[in-house]
Amino acid sequence: MITKLLIANRGEIACRVIRTARQLGISTVAVYSDADVNALHVSMADEAVRIGPAPSKDSYLQADRILQAAKQLGVNAIHPGYGFLSENAAFAEACEDAGIRFIGPGAAAIRAMGSKSAAKHIMEQAGVPLVPGYHGDDQSPKTLKQHADNMGYPVLLKAAAGGGGKGMRQVWSEQEFSHALDAAKREAMASFGDDIMLVEKYLTAPRHVEIQVFCDTHGNGVYLFERDCSVQRRHQKIIEEAPAPGMTDALRKQMGEAALKAAQAIDYVGAGTVEFLLDEDGRFYFMEMNTRLQVEHPVTEKISGEDLVDWQIQVANGLPLPKTQDELRLTGHAFEARLYAEDPDHDFLPATGTLRLLQPPQTSTHVRVDTGVIQGDEVSVYYDPMIAKLIVWDTDRDRALQRLLAALRDYHVAGVTTNLEFLYNVAASRPFQQAELVTTFIEKHHDMLFSPAIDEDQTQRLALAALLILLNRQQARQPANPEVPPSPWSLPLAWRANYVHKEQLTLSLQDTLHTVDVLHSGSTEQPGQWTLHIGDNVVQVSGHIEAHTLHARLDDYQQRINWSQDSHRLTLFTATGACHVEHHQPDLGDMDDAATDSDFAAPMNGTMVDVLVTPGTPVTKGTPLLVMEAMKMEHSIVAPADGTVVEFFFQPGDLVDGGARLLEFSRDE
Ligand code: ADP
């Protein structure tokens, strides 16, 4: 019986495993690196042990140290999660040798599936359909190319040891082959220390459909239906769903049985996933088998009503599977969206930073959030930049998709660049709504996903309402001197006694500038009312903001819409996609060489947030000197040249009028 479980992992999966273990009354041990001393998984576990410095090779990949901790603390099972040591046969063996159960398949099964080419050999013998291609031992470039030529282009080169999309190259013609092979081999060698390659026919519009299998030590095996994981960037999944849209009972059975055949061919035990490519004609091809619990297992849990970690523990305890194939029921539809710290506008490159704001949506039987971080945590360079998995479920796909959109609108993150809006744009797009899923979904619908079509007139009005309400709110927040009672004279923005004030507001909407005449038509008692002159149209605007909901009144029409803000950018979540709004004003950070100290003028009313350097200490050009805030948006002022700050004229917390001189700066000769 497993009574004490060590989780050889971190982040959301460590938290996920701890949750089930706790429900089962099993005590838990976390391991952590120096970067994770205060991490959520550490605080959730009953005990936690430091295993090394931040880089994973010095901590989460240190099999010996983890085993030593397990022995010292009297642990009798280790859950490896996914990634790190989860598919490391030597680690599974070492656990068994130490008398500690490894929650996963035996070392032989991990080894058999560890190489994509060896796995294909085994599947070929078991009669499981394969993606056509070459997975032989002769690795001479000539042989590889000959196979590609015979197969016809495009082909896909894949590292046999690959994972995470590394060591993979599409080759579209004979001429590109050698160059692509060199590049794929280099990448594979750098990532896996092994550059054995497979050549596969590149299917141009397949879907990625995978089967969740489970086997016990009594010879029983079941499949818990399928997941469609076609929405991918850089060949890696970002939205998964179950069941796969359009799946028939007959095809499900055929794929499920093929997957079980694959698992049984290697005497598999525990949770595993058999990945297939599915073509338009309903033909499917084995790609690889992952011998662990997958990131996207929650969608299977939602449609099956089963807890897969509980199943893993039961199987590791030597019990038979909790259900037979006939007892398993598929109910409803689930999506999982992976929230990553990454920048979709820069090829989805990982981002880092502090999660200044992290507010997940309300969880319920319909909405689940699996995460390993809380507000204030750091997304570091050391680990996978996934912040959370948002999982939604409902009785059918359309209803579940509505839930997904609503939950994404209710997710608020600031401080780190994320793919949140991109996920929203995918979920809101027509092809996704119509379940036109292919692995090239993002490339195919690039323009629609990166700049979704919005109702410009309406969004512009809502954006103006949001900006004006925020500006107004900031104005009203507090007087410059707390001892002085609020009065019109302490309001830092446009307000004039005795006459109606008119000004121009420039904003950018999805990067297009719009200038609008705004008449402040409110009174001291009711300040938030404006008349907008947009071209020939006149619109009366008022409203208020409650947390992340804007309530706008535009003439005789009212609308509420979710918004969020990070730094100086606002986002409005419209029905067709996320729309970016910026209040266009002089850029405080953009000072050129010609700047003199008289240029250190606050270009707008705002608050001094922080001074970042000590007067008298030399600074180099570009060093941030102070941070100002306006409309809850921060702006830094940087040194225009090497030099020294002589004096700051404001301190943190001071309100600053537009045009006021902020500091005196002396340039180096
Ligand atoms: P990794 O193990 O590196 O994640 P996989 O073999 O699982 O790589 O493939 C990742 C993704 O690459 C698949 O989900 C699919 O979108 C794409 N892919 C893999 N093989 C092919 C192929 N032969 N044709 C078209 N796309 C493929």
Side-chain angles (χ1 to χ4, degrees):
M1 266 289 273
I2 295 168
T3 51
K4 192 166 184 179
L5 178 69
L6 180 145
I7 299 96
N9 215 303
R10 63 179 301 283
E12 69 86 16
I13 191 61
C15 298
R16 157 78 196 88
V17 173
I18 292 171
R19 208 165 45 238
T20 291
R22 173 155 306 152
Q23 278 162 14
L24 299 174
I26 296 171
S27 67
T28 51
V29 178
V31 291
Y32 63 90
S33 71
D34 288 343
D36 281 340
V37 183
N38 298 312
L40 188 60
H41 77 281
V42 175
S43 62
M44 279 177 71
D46 297 315
E47 294 170 79
V49 188
R50 175 188 177 270
I51 41 164
S56 18
K57 68 173 181 20
D58 301 322
S59 49
Y60 297 103
L61 289 170
Q62 284 287 331
D64 291 347
R65 228 170 284 162
I66 292 173
L67 262 175
Q68 197 187 341
K71 285 187 225 162
Q72 271 167 3
L73 292 174
V75 157
N76 59 1
I78 292 185
H79 195 302
Y82 53 73
F84 297 131
L85 297 166
S86 62
E87 291 177 292
N88 183 317
F91 181 64
E93 234 155 32
C95 290
E96 298 302 330
D97 290 348
I100 295 173
R101 244 160 291 177
F102 174 80
I103 300 201
I110 299 179
R111 269 198 193 102
M113 291 296 150
S115 154
K116 290 185 206 272
S117 27
K120 285 182 86 172
H121 275 300
I122 296 171
M123 292 307 132
E124 199 166 31
Q125 273 155 22
V128 178
L130 303 182
V131 182
Y134 173 74
H135 45 273
D137 294 336
D138 184 350
Q139 286 286 310
S140 73
K142 196 164 156 244
T143 306
L144 295 175
K145 180 161 180 302
Q146 192 60 55
H147 281 280
D149 292 349
N150 294 348
M151 222 179 309
Y153 293 86
V155 300
L156 186 66
L157 292 169
K158 266 189 198 179
K166 297 200 185 82
M168 239 194 222
R169 282 286 182 290
Q170 292 162 23
V171 192
W172 293 88
S173 68
E174 203 181 323
Q175 293 71 32
E176 289 173 24
F177 189 89
S178 301
H179 182 69
L181 179 64
D182 290 346
K185 274 176 168 284
R186 266 196 313 272
E187 202 170 287
M189 193 45 105
S191 304
F192 316 109
D194 176 331
D195 64 359
I196 295 179
M197 287 286 147
L198 305 76
V199 189
E200 279 182 3
K201 180 80 194 152
Y202 181 69
L203 308 183
T204 44
R207 289 164 64 182
H208 174 123
V209 176
E210 58 184 37
I211 308 283
Q212 176 71 58
V213 294
F214 237 104
C215 301
D216 63 20
T217 48
H218 304 271
N220 304 310
V222 296
Y223 55 90
L224 289 102
F225 321 114
E226 75 285 351
R227 300 185 281 258
D228 190 312
C229 312
S230 299
V231 180
Q232 305 180 344
R233 44 100 180 89
R234 290 193 270 118
H235 296 304
Q236 297 301 301
K237 307 156 183 173
I238 50 171
I239 297 188
E240 301 97 347
E241 59 184 290
M247 177 61 88
T248 61
D249 288 343
L251 184 58
R252 173 172 299 128
K253 187 158 189 284
Q254 220 185 331
M255 292 182 77
E257 285 173 1
L260 267 184
K261 195 147 58 159
Q264 279 157 354
I266 53 165
D267 293 327
Y268 199 78
V269 172
T273 296
V274 183
E275 297 189 334
F276 294 103
L277 290 176
L278 178 66
D279 74 13
E280 291 135 306
D281 304 324
R283 280 179 303 219
F284 58 92
Y285 307 96
F286 171 84
M287 245 189 321
E288 65 168 346
M289 178 167 183
N290 290 317
T291 54
R292 53 173 158 80
L293 193 68
Q294 300 260 110
V295 177
E296 58 275 25
H297 75 275
V299 291
T300 300
E301 297 189 318
K302 291 307 270 183
I303 59 154
S304 66
E306 304 296 327
D307 178 331
L308 298 192
V309 174
D310 186 357
W311 277 48
Q312 287 188 298
I313 291 171
Q314 295 196 43
V315 167
N317 272 330
L319 296 172
L321 291 177
K323 286 200 172 147
T324 63
Q325 194 66 54
D326 287 344
E327 288 168 345
L328 285 165
R329 292 278 167 276
L330 191 170
T331 311
H333 199 97
F335 288 99
E336 174 184 280
R338 301 190 192 185
L339 177 62
Y340 278 104
E342 65 180 22
D343 187 355
D345 293 334
H346 291 97
D347 200 22
F348 299 94
L349 285 179
T352 55
T354 304
L355 292 160
R356 269 196 296 114
L357 176 75
L358 182 63
Q359 270 175 16
Q362 182 85 39
T363 56
S364 66
T365 49
H366 293 282
V367 178
R368 163 174 165 182
V369 175
D370 281 15
T371 188
V373 286
I374 53 170
Q375 187 165 300
D377 279 356
E378 190 82 17
V379 179
S380 72
V381 293
Y382 297 111
Y383 314 113
D384 182 83
M386 192 167 73
I387 297 170
K389 306 187 306 202
L390 170 64
I391 303 111
V392 297
W393 176 91
D394 211 318
T395 47
D396 62 41
R397 187 176 193 270
D398 289 345
R399 287 169 64 98
L401 188 47
Q402 291 310 306
R403 299 250 183 217
L404 179 63
L405 285 163
L408 287 168
R409 282 194 295 264
D410 272 347
Y411 221 126
H412 301 290
V413 191
V416 180
T417 307
T418 73
N419 65 344
L420 180 65
E421 290 161 22
F422 186 76
L423 292 170
Y424 183 77
N425 290 347
V426 172
S429 71
R430 198 191 40 76
F432 189 78
Q433 305 218 331
Q434 298 183 346
E436 292 167 11
L437 303 174
V438 276
T439 55
T440 49
F441 186 91
I442 291 175
E443 292 92 313
K444 189 170 166 190
H445 302 294
H446 182 278
D447 293 350
M448 182 190 295
L449 301 178
F450 283 87
S451 42
I454 49 163
D455 176 342
E456 233 181 60
D457 286 350
Q458 181 63 4
T459 311
Q460 187 191 34
R461 289 163 194 206
L462 290 167
L464 283 160
L467 277 178
L468 289 165
I469 293 166
L470 285 171
L471 285 163
N472 193 57
R473 185 162 81 172
Q474 201 229 341
Q475 251 185 343
R477 208 184 282 155
Q478 67 198 150
N481 180 345
E483 317 229 311
V484 178
S487 85
W489 307 113
S490 63
L491 295 181
L493 271 178
W495 192 91
R496 304 289 185 278
N498 299 330
Y499 70 98
V500 177
H501 174 65
K502 192 171 175 181
E503 67 180 338
Q504 277 198 329
L505 198 68
T506 303
L507 80 166
S508 74
L509 260 193
Q510 304 287 61
D511 300 327
T512 307
L513 287 185
H514 301 260
T515 299
V516 172
D517 285 331
V518 180
L519 203 72
H520 294 248
S521 48
S523 60
T524 323
E525 293 75 38
Q526 257 194 319
Q529 290 186 27
W530 302 274
T531 307
L532 308 182
H533 292 262
I534 308 173
D536 294 336
N537 296 316
V538 179
V539 189
Q540 300 295 332
V541 173
S542 62
H544 65 281
I545 278 175
E546 262 173 33
H548 288 281
T549 310
L550 162 71
H551 298 258
R553 176 181 290 184
L554 309 167
D555 290 333
D556 296 334
Y557 168 80
Q558 300 192 26
Q559 186 177 346
R560 46 182 284 177
I561 183 167
N562 284 43
W563 68 284
S564 68
Q565 178 179 26
D566 195 8
S567 178
H568 52 287
R569 190 165 86 165
L570 286 183
T571 303
L572 291 177
F573 290 90
T574 77
T576 49
C579 175
H580 297 145
V581 183
E582 269 182 59
H583 181 196
H584 193 73
Q585 47 194 357
D587 186 353
L588 285 172
D590 198 11
M591 301 206 178
D592 59 29
D593 276 337
T596 64
D597 61 357
S598 66
D599 291 313
F600 291 102
M604 80 302 196
N605 303 295
T607 312
M608 179 72 102
V609 174
D610 208 358
V611 296
L612 303 171
V613 297
T614 314
T617 311
V619 295
T620 51
K621 181 180 169 183
T623 305
L625 304 176
L626 64 80
V627 182
M628 266 189 77
E629 181 218 66
M631 270 183 58
K632 291 173 73 194
M633 302 173 187
E634 290 191 351
H635 301 263
S636 297
I637 295 224
V638 300
D642 293 354
T644 341
V645 172
V646 180
E647 189 184 352
F648 286 106
F649 299 125
F650 294 91
Q651 294 309 311
D654 288 352
L655 285 183
V656 182
D657 289 335
R661 203 162 151 234
L662 297 169
L663 59 97
E664 188 181 336
F665 189 81
S666 152
R667 290 158 171 263
D668 288 351
E669 289 307 315

